[in-house]
Amino acid sequence: MTTLTGRNETYFPAEFARHRATVMIWCERAGSWTNGGADARPVFARIIREICAGEKVYLCASEKGEASAREMLAGEIAQGKVQLFIIPTDDCWARDIAPTFVIAGGGVCGIDWRFNGWGGDYNGLYKVVHDDLFAQRLLEKTGYSRIDAHPFVLEGGSVHTNGKGTLLTTEECLLSKGRNPTLGKREIEDKLKFYLGAKKVVWLKRGIYGDETDGHVDNVCAFCGENTVLLAWSDEGIQGEICRENLKILQESGLEVVKLPLPEKPVTVNGEELSSLSFEKGE
């Protein structure tokens, strides 16, 4: 366990910085994936093999999913390119529930935030059974020191950094009543500065319209350089209003913006796929 004080210098690397490994979780949630994940696992396996060409993958699976993971990635596991950990999860969104890795106290540490299913009792997507324990369990498996940030609620997809002390986030998400309702904007910003070593926080108003994560910034804007961001872009409707609003905020913050057009057609499922999903009560 690493304990931060106000004197600790914490470094949060940029997403495009060199890193040791990628964390992934094997899919199986019946309410998220058609046929209990069976349709998506070959695609996951292909993505993992592509990542293995350049770096290691920490793959986490439940006891139920272990056999299929070992079967589909037998060669990569045998070669040490994939390290398989048996850790139960509620779904496979590693970006949101895994530790946020930073440099603190002279080494790599993982920040363990509280995870409440993207909104808890207010508007969460499902009841959290395992996911809030995932970060701690992964850190125990990998041997990295843990920074306990509980009870502060944060998901990995709700912040983005340039690696130089500037953070991106959205008011829609971090000021949601389902996250940290007793904290104001200034108090939340202070938490980000304390844990992530941020010197500047750029607050966009909203993310993707209708996003079930309450506007995660990683769906709408991401650093691709120290002073350059990719901004999801649409000219039409409510999303067009959001894009123009975000563009103004980013430019006023001194950032160079590259527009990335959003798909014109939404992702859909057919009747057969829908019937293969099994939802929990209220999901």
Side-chain angles (χ1 to χ4, degrees):
M1 176 80 77
T2 295
T3 301
L4 296 179
T5 70
R7 299 182 298 275
N8 288 83
E9 183 68 24
T10 303
Y11 170 57
F12 184 21
E15 187 139 334
F16 48 80
R18 292 188 63 183
H19 50 279
R20 187 170 301 166
T22 292
V23 178
M24 291 190 68
I25 301 173
W26 203 235
C27 60
E28 63 182 72
R29 183 178 180 83
S32 299
W33 303 95
T34 57
N35 295 312
D39 299 333
R41 285 183 202 130
V43 182
F44 270 55
R46 180 180 176 185
I47 292 170
I48 290 168
R49 283 191 288 270
E50 292 294 333
I51 295 172
C52 285
E55 64 187 62
K56 192 169 189 174
V57 173
Y58 291 143
L59 177 61
C60 303
S62 70
E63 291 182 354
K64 179 182 177 181
E66 178 182 3
S68 59
R70 290 193 181 279
E71 179 182 358
M72 292 187 182
L73 294 161
E76 288 74 20
I77 293 173
Q79 296 168 39
K81 295 179 179 180
V82 171
Q83 189 167 357
L84 181 62
F85 298 119
I86 307 307
I87 304 176
T89 57
D90 299 309
D91 208 339
C92 63
W93 307 116
R95 181 178 184 87
D96 286 344
I97 68 173
T100 299
F101 286 98
V102 298
I103 308 296
V108 178
C109 303
I111 301 177
D112 179 5
W113 315 98
R114 183 186 169 210
F115 178 78
N116 70 352
W118 302 278
D121 292 336
Y122 178 71
N123 65 342
L125 300 186
Y126 52 69
K127 181 180 179 181
V128 175
V129 178
H130 301 291
D131 283 355
D132 189 40
L133 294 171
F134 177 77
Q136 179 177 345
R137 288 169 171 167
L138 180 63
L139 291 169
E140 290 170 351
K141 296 278 189 182
T142 55
Y144 291 106
S145 185
R146 171 174 169 257
I147 298 170
D148 186 5
H150 286 69
F152 188 71
V153 176
L154 191 85
E155 305 97 39
S158 65
V159 292
H160 213 271
T161 182
N162 66 349
K164 298 293 183 180
T166 298
L167 284 184
L168 295 171
T169 191
T170 69
E171 293 183 2
E172 180 184 3
C173 182
L174 290 199
L175 301 187
S176 163
K177 293 179 181 179
R179 300 308 196 280
N180 301 286
T182 64
L183 301 180
K185 183 176 180 179
R186 177 63 181 274
E187 293 169 304
I188 291 173
E189 185 168 315
D190 287 344
K191 290 282 189 183
L192 298 178
K193 290 179 177 179
F194 177 77
Y195 284 108
L196 299 174
K199 298 177 176 62
K200 177 182 179 181
V201 180
V202 178
W203 291 85
L204 303 182
K205 298 293 184 182
R206 296 173 286 175
I208 297 294
Y209 177 65
D211 176 19
E212 59 189 7
T213 66
D214 299 317
H216 269 192
V217 76
D218 69 345
N219 283 333
V220 71
C221 190
F223 280 107
C224 57
E226 182 178 341
N227 295 301
T228 305
V229 296
L230 294 175
L231 177 63
W233 191 261
S234 175
D235 291 307
E236 305 299 327
I238 296 175
Q239 190 59 52
E241 295 176 11
I242 294 172
C243 291
R244 290 186 287 275
E245 179 182 66
N246 287 338
L247 176 62
K248 181 179 179 182
I249 292 170
L250 292 165
Q251 290 178 332
E252 289 177 348
S253 299
L255 296 170
E256 180 181 348
V257 179
V258 178
K259 296 177 182 178
L260 186 66
L262 285 164
E264 293 182 3
K265 295 183 179 180
V267 175
T268 59
V269 295
N270 60 37
E272 182 181 352
E273 291 169 331
L274 182 61
S275 66
S276 77
L277 297 172
S278 178
F279 300 108
E280 295 179 6
K281 183 179 180 181
E283 184 178 3

